[in-house]
Amino acid sequence: MIDTQQFEEIIGYQFKNKQLLHEALSHSSYANERKKVRRSNERLEFLGDSVLSIIVSRYLFEHFDHLPEGELTKIRASLVCEKSLFVFAQKIRLGEALLLGKGEENTGGRERPSIVADAFEAVIAAVFLDGGLETATEYVLGFLPKDLDKTKRAESFSDYKTVLQEIIQQNPEEKVEYILVEQTGPDHNKAFVVNVCLNSNVIGSGTGKSKKEAEQMAAKEALALMGYGA
């Protein structure tokens, strides 16, 4: 483990309000064990998600003015997804700095992508609240790949569900739902068929060796039909 002082040295930022950093590093399992004396990082995670989105969106908007909305959405989704945030967090040894409850500690919580990625967003929010938007922007942009070439990003992109969700969320009244319609084959070689529906209307169908893979393929087909070139 590393303490908060070591963590500040790693990220290159000294907090004026140390409590913000402590809160950002406090997982709910840790906070629950300490009842009222400690707040978890869940509220900061909520804020950090929005701060991260606006910083990345602004950067892409200003530096990729030749790309249409659909391509920008794909790139942003690939940068702010759990997989990417986990990689970013590993660069600053965030898992080693987390404050976890005994249960999470004993079951490998420091290496769990969902926990570490959420904490990364919480740290972004803490930096934002402590140092302002420009400081948070400088911090976040330091993690972005040097080469965000459109072709390479498109080739490596696979989180079609996130892209579809972001597009649909532009219309709050719309609702996306994934429905398993078929499951065949023995346990060691199953095949799943999933439909993705928009307000009960099927807009894509996908097949995969797992439900998650089938959902991604359904979202990919939906994006293609919507003209986003997935």
Side-chain angles (χ1 to χ4, degrees):
M1 287 183 61
I2 57 177
D3 60 30
T4 54
Q5 184 177 348
Q6 291 172 305
F7 184 69
E8 285 179 310
E9 292 174 358
I10 292 172
I11 67 175
Y13 181 75
Q14 298 294 317
F15 280 84
K16 297 183 286 291
N17 182 352
K18 303 296 183 183
Q19 181 58 37
L20 280 172
L21 177 58
H22 281 285
E23 185 175 327
L25 297 176
S26 297
H27 184 255
S28 58
S29 62
Y30 180 83
N32 290 338
E33 288 183 1
R34 282 150 183 79
K35 306 297 182 182
K36 297 180 181 180
V37 300
R38 176 74 68 175
R39 289 175 59 169
S40 77
N41 60 10
E42 292 177 346
R43 282 173 55 85
L44 285 176
E45 173 204 337
F46 164 77
L47 177 60
D49 178 69
S50 296
V51 174
L52 174 65
S53 182
I54 189 62
I55 290 173
V56 172
S57 297
R58 177 182 174 184
Y59 177 83
L60 295 177
F61 181 81
E62 293 177 348
H63 290 81
F64 293 85
D65 57 0
H66 61 291
L67 294 182
E69 175 195 2
E71 291 296 328
L72 293 175
T73 300
K74 288 182 183 180
I75 297 174
R76 180 180 61 189
S78 69
L79 292 172
V80 303
C81 68
E82 180 181 291
K83 181 179 179 181
S84 293
L85 298 187
F86 181 59
V87 172
F88 298 161
Q90 288 178 311
K91 294 180 180 180
I92 56 174
R93 299 170 61 187
L94 179 53
E96 298 177 52
L98 290 178
L99 299 171
L100 302 174
K102 293 179 181 179
E104 286 294 347
E105 184 74 69
N106 294 334
T107 55
R110 295 186 186 281
E111 296 297 326
R112 189 166 297 136
S114 58
I115 290 178
V116 179
D118 287 349
F120 185 79
E121 291 182 326
V123 171
I124 290 173
V127 172
F128 167 71
L129 292 173
D130 193 70
L133 181 59
E134 291 309 310
T135 299
T137 298
E138 182 179 352
Y139 172 74
V140 170
L141 295 185
F143 292 95
L144 300 190
K146 302 300 180 184
D147 181 9
L148 281 178
D149 176 78
K150 176 178 74 171
T151 303
K152 291 183 179 180
R153 297 308 300 178
E155 289 177 351
S156 64
F157 179 76
S158 61
D159 193 0
Y160 302 107
K161 285 184 65 178
T162 297
V163 172
L164 181 61
Q165 186 65 33
E166 290 201 355
I167 293 171
I168 300 303
Q169 283 178 343
Q170 295 174 16
N171 298 302
E173 69 277 6
E174 306 287 3
K175 179 183 177 182
V176 172
E177 184 179 10
Y178 292 86
I179 300 175
L180 178 65
V181 295
E182 188 177 357
Q183 178 178 322
T184 59
D187 289 342
H188 67 279
N189 190 29
K190 284 188 176 295
F192 299 85
V193 178
V194 170
N195 286 344
V196 57
C197 300
L198 178 63
N199 299 331
S200 75
N201 297 312
V202 176
I203 59 173
S205 182
T207 303
K209 294 183 178 180
S210 68
K211 286 190 286 186
K212 288 186 176 181
E213 181 182 352
E215 288 173 355
Q216 287 286 356
M217 292 302 98
K220 180 179 181 181
E221 180 175 280
L223 287 168
L225 293 172
M226 293 167 65
Y228 282 89

